[in-house]
């Protein structure tokens, strides 16, 4: 999608250090980190939100597997982490290209705001 910032990152049009790359998935640091580790994991292809994923689409498993691999690489394998996907307005989604937030390196509160 031509005006999507995450499509531009995935396509190399906005230079961004990629922490993880596979055929279908890329990951990079969040611009405004909310924890010592705050990585965004996204599909290369444009999917606007969780609600746009088809029943047989395997992308969610790929995104989660990538997140777990990155979490281990970043030293979160012992202490744990949080994996969050905001969906549409009530979920607090601001960028309408599906992404998982990997948050770690500090104790998370509950319930979320
Ligand atoms: P959400 O509210 O779930 O849609 O989260 C969008 C996230 O994208 C926010 O945490 C932003 O800080 C982050 N973000 C926006 N633009 C960029 C960018 N160019 N590079 C990295 N992270 C970004
Ligand atoms: Zn996009």
């Amino acid at each position: 999608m031509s005006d999507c910032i995450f499509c531009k990152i995935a396509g190399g049009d906005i230079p961004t250090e990629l922490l993880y790359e596979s055929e279908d998935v890329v990951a990079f640091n969040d611009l405004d980190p909310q924890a010592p580790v705050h990585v965004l994991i996204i599909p290369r292809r444009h999917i606007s939100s969780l609600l746009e994923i088809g029943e047989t689409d395997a992308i969610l498993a790929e995104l989660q597997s990538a997140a777990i691999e990155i979490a281990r690489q970043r030293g979160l394998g012992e202490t744990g982490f949080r994996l969050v996907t905001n969906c549409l307005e009530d979920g607090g989604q601001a960028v309408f290209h599906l992404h998982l937030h990997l948050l770690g390196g500090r104790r998370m509160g509950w319930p979320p705001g």
Side-chain angles (χ1 to χ4, degrees):
M1 206 189 191
S2 59
D3 62 347
C4 171
I5 193 159
F6 285 0
C7 279
K8 287 181 183 164
I9 289 174
D13 299 322
I14 297 178
T16 303
E17 183 193 359
L18 297 181
L19 307 173
Y20 176 97
E21 274 191 271
S22 71
E23 196 179 332
D24 301 318
V25 173
V26 300
F28 48 90
N29 283 318
D30 196 291
L31 205 58
D32 181 21
Q34 302 300 312
V37 175
H38 188 171
V39 176
L40 300 177
I41 301 106
I42 72 168
R44 284 188 187 274
R45 66 187 148 100
H46 185 85
I47 301 170
S48 60
S49 81
L50 273 180
L51 288 165
E52 299 306 314
I53 293 181
E55 270 177 33
T56 57
D57 197 328
I59 193 66
L60 279 182
E62 289 187 50
L63 292 167
Q64 287 188 315
S65 293
I68 294 163
E69 190 176 322
I70 297 161
R72 289 192 203 282
Q73 282 168 3
R74 298 297 293 270
L76 304 177
E78 298 290 327
T79 50
F81 55 87
R82 184 169 289 175
L83 210 48
V84 178
T85 300
N86 300 323
C87 184
L88 301 188
E89 285 76 10
D90 276 2
Q93 186 175 2
V95 175
F96 292 90
H97 178 127
L98 178 65
H99 51 282
L100 271 53
H101 294 257
L102 170 65
L103 296 150
R106 67 167 172 84
R107 188 67 58 89
M108 301 293 153
W110 194 265

